[in-house]
Amino acid sequence: MGLQTSDMQGLIVRGYKTLTAATYILLKITDVAAATKYFDFLAVNHITTGEKLKKEEAVNIAFTRSGIARLLNDDILNTFSREFIEGMSFRQGADKKRDQNTKMSGGEGIESAEPEERPMMLGDRGKNHPSNWHWGNENKPVDVLLMVYAKNKHALEELTTNIFTNHHQGVEIVYLASTYEYNPDNPREHFGFMDGISQPTIKGFSKENEVEDKRTHINPGEFILGYENEYNSFSPSPFVDRNTISEGMDAHPADPEKNDLGKNGTYLVFRQIEQFVEAFWEYMYTHTKEIAASKTEQAVKLGAKMVGRWPDGRPLVQAPGSGCPVTDATLNDFTYADTDKDGLMCPLGAHIRRANPRDHIHAGRNPKDSLDLSKKHRMLRRGRIYGEPVDKDFNIDNIIHHHSLNGSHACNNTTKKPVTTSIGIENENAVRGIHFMCLVSDIARQFEFVQNVWANTSSFAALHNEVDPIMSPRPTPEQPDCHEFTTPQEMTRNRYKNIPEFTTVVGGAYFFMPGMKALKYIVKYSMANGAS
Amino acid sequence: MHRIHGGFTAAFPIKEGPEVKSLSNMLKFLHNNNGPGAANFELSQTTLFVSGVVLPEQYYKTEKLPPTFVLATTYCGPLKTHLRDLIATNKNILLKLLMFCKNFNGGYDAPDDEIYAFLKKHSYHSNFNSRCNFISKQDTQNEKALKNEIEDYIDSAQTQGAFKGLSAMQIRKLIQRHIMACGDKYAWALKPCKKNWREWLEIVRVYITYQLLKITGLALVGALVAPLVLTIAALFGYKYNLTLCLSGCIPLVFIGIVLGNLMTLKTKTATRPPDSRIKELAATQLNPVLNEMTAAAPLKRGFLRPHLYAFILRVLGLVSSITSKIPTVSNIRWLVIDNKKRLVFLSCFSNTTDFYVRDFIVGDTAKGVNFMFTHGQGFPDAKWMFKTKGIISDPEGYMHAVHTGQHVTELWYAHEKLLTADIINKNRKIRNGLFKWMTEEDAREWLKLL
Ligand code: HEM
């Protein structure tokens, strides 16, 4: 079955790299009927599909559980996955009294006395706890996400005015998550590392003449609902009754009596993660034991070991020394089992090794099984960074010498002056970081699995007392000693201790990004039923 | 005493009425309470893991399988010593629990022998495997401490530049000296931990049994297929006695019927249970490293299935250290209770249940697990009982069946909740390599463990 790109929203097919300006508008529905009309207007006129980009702009839309509940009904909502229904900030005991104030790593997070499944699993503890978030928690719930892309800042303003300011109704902005200008030739995240290099290649999306490599190509059903996934089955997809409103939609793969609301749609995970750049490089500079020509290079080497790539994107397994050349073609063409089973080049606990262990999931698996398993936990990353970089050229030397070593830096960004645009304050209360976004067909199996089992678990790869140095919380009340990172060496490893959290999650939610037919269904259903 | 790990599992039908709920509450109370009167399995040197769970009533065809209390332990050493040790250290706890069980007549002053006999009487064989075999509770603690000591020493030696320019052997020598200088504390570590004769015997037993099983299997297949080949040959004019050949095919036909009975069954796969149930289960799985799960399901129909499945579990149980290959597991067991009609699965593993069960749906492990579960009601039917389909192509159905049959383990004890089997085994390698004869190359490899 061919991929129905015209029924998909464009973000699934491409990351809009040439559209360098983007903003994510997080909305709350205030009037269902009016909002429905607005979504209809967007669906008919503006939503960009997966077909070839016709205009130099793009608009995509996604809904949270509360958005779906308001536009559709609870019965339909209940056909979505449990993670989506509960939401990213779901807390088992949220409605019960919160009487335990757990302070970790300087955080003021308040945690419930009840076990909190999702925050525990995702590592949203201490400072990262949903109760401290700027959006996506009980205080600031979000119903809808509007993603707007244009070729530059000016065009973005125009587009936003055109599709939002002049037309919006029935919705109100909860948070304006704007992004920093994207550089397609050198996309860096704030610590200064090139990002977005490793993306799964989807079967059926290959360019002409490209031979599909079984090792790396992944079935579309891993990222798009309604297609076969890596189990050669279908990821659970929401469904609706067959009736006049759902006419024209495809049958549900598990129940042909129903229509597939998920078809050509996907789940979108959004996490706003604040980054403490000065503190990151201060730690690297003052603690590094790696061997290199200068202190700065030593710091860069330690940073690279934590990420798994050099700042310019070269993977450590291909380029163990800072000077080793790597071609663009091999930037992502590597595995670990044969080349680096002990982590001498890329440490076993490095961010990219945890986020995608490729053919070397340590725990007693052969390379083939590891690769098969890794392919069942991939995600299509689509995020962008926000906030002004510490150094506009992402020059690490400058960051270290002009910023990081300028006094001692706590893992806390001092609040910046708010930037107000025509529609609201950009990234309110946040300074700089990543609007991490990924598309998956199964939130639990892909995003949550990676976050929990590979990133946040201290025993990953038979390590001990360490978690992902970039994105995991540490230490936690259950594992007070868990704050280490080791870089294996020829003789004795270097062990780093008391590594602070260089990032804090400050917002997040799970969204459903429907296919075009499904979007039209949502609008039609809401119009017909006046759901609230 | 040997350090072979075993899995003791006993299932006790619970007295009718409110006792089921009360037992459940008691288990919870014992689990959460740290005060006097609480379970103290730490005291029992032979006890590595304990699970106490109440299985609700379930139905096999129309037959009611009663609410049952399952008590499972993973122990080190001889079973008799373990049970005596468990009774000696946690008698009051056991009594508090057994009071709720049918046919337990002893009161609070029941003698040890009566408890022992009751436990034994209700115990079941299981297909059990521990991935930390031959490592005792004390060993685990000691080797963890040794590893930490060495790690701290390396840190301080590195800071002082003490390892600069040294070979791996020389570094190891310095580490050895440091450990020797710690005096009595690590005196036990000066020699590698050797297996005793009983442990070697166990290894040899498993190996020989495995080979014998393979040979027997091949011989059986040969013996079954040979008459068929001869019959065909006879039909094509070769001079074989057709009647004899045909009668030789009878066992094959019989086995065909048996397998057909087990395999052609098309059963209904479990549907998604209410989210509230999954939430309740998930809330008990929030330990950062090790977690536990117990699931139970009546077997699928098929008059021979209970016997054959129990038989295969028994046989596989003999060689489980070779055949059981789930890498995230600390220990695992499958057994059948209630006259072989209810399948019970218990496992201690790293990660949460959903992620753990997801993690083994790959390669041969998936096939093995497919075979073990496909016989349970609600689990997706596997082709040829293991090869394809089943959990391999319907992981959702499998997850639904797991959640449907999973029960909150109210009482759970693990001796080291933050140590996975991989880490425990790695610590053992560190200890064994410390004073072992080594070449420079070996010493380099050994240093990589740290
Ligand atoms: C502030 C937070 C984060 C930063 C600074 C960061 C940074 C990076 C960088 C520099 C890379 C290497 C570039 C590449 O391979 O494409 C990378 C790769 C990756 N990251 Fe992150 N990341 C962050 C959070 C996350 C989160 C929350 C996840 C998901 C749970 C994640 C998943 C991945 C994955 C899957 C890869 C690709 C690994 C591979 O395929 O080799 N990252 N990240």
Side-chain angles (χ1 to χ4, degrees), chain A residues 80 86 363 365 493 495, chain B residues 151 155 158 272 279 327 359:
Chain A
F80 282 82
E86 289 175 1
R365 289 194 173 85
R493 88 291 178 276
R495 180 160 70 146
Chain B
E151 296 273 19
D155 284 346
Q158 278 178 330
R272 175 172 162 178
K279 264 180 245 175
D359 223 12

Side-chain angles (χ1 to χ4, degrees), chain B residues 417-430:
Chain B
K417 278 197 173 112
L418 297 179
L419 296 187
T420 61
D422 281 339
I423 295 174
I424 293 175
N425 286 323
K426 189 165 146 184
N427 290 351
R428 166 57 55 95
K429 279 192 198 151
I430 293 171

Side-chain angles (χ1 to χ4, degrees), chain B residues 299 304-315 336 340:
Chain B
L299 289 190
L304 283 169
R305 187 183 306 274
H307 310 289
L308 203 77
Y309 185 61
F311 173 74
I312 293 175
L313 281 189
R314 198 76 189 245
V315 173
V336 273
K340 304 175 186 159

Side-chain angles (χ1 to χ4, degrees), chain A residues 282-301:
Chain A
E282 184 184 55
Y283 183 91
M284 302 304 138
Y285 194 84
T286 49
H287 289 79
T288 182
K289 301 178 208 166
E290 305 305 301
I291 295 169
S294 69
K295 190 77 199 229
T296 306
E297 283 180 40
Q298 280 184 282
V300 171
K301 193 164 180 183

Side-chain angles (χ1 to χ4, degrees), chain A residues 217-229:
Chain A
H217 276 67
I218 294 181
N219 283 342
E222 287 296 307
F223 312 103
I224 316 162
L225 293 165
Y227 297 89
E228 272 197 10
N229 59 21

Side-chain angles (χ1 to χ4, degrees), chain A residues 189 191 193-199 271 273-275 307 309 332 334 336 351-352 355-356 358 378-379 381 434 436 447 450-451 470-471 503:
Chain A
E189 52 70 43
F191 294 140
F193 292 85
M194 194 188 270
D195 200 1
I197 305 164
S198 173
Q199 290 284 18
R271 269 161 99 71
I273 309 175
E274 191 78 353
Q275 289 176 267
V307 171
R309 289 183 185 269
N332 200 33
F334 60 89
Y336 299 110
H351 174 63
I352 67 162
N356 177 14
R358 301 183 184 221
R378 299 296 308 274
M379 43 199 142
R381 286 175 300 139
I434 280 188
F436 174 86
F447 166 71
V450 171
Q451 181 80 45
I470 305 293
M471 67 175 186
T503 56

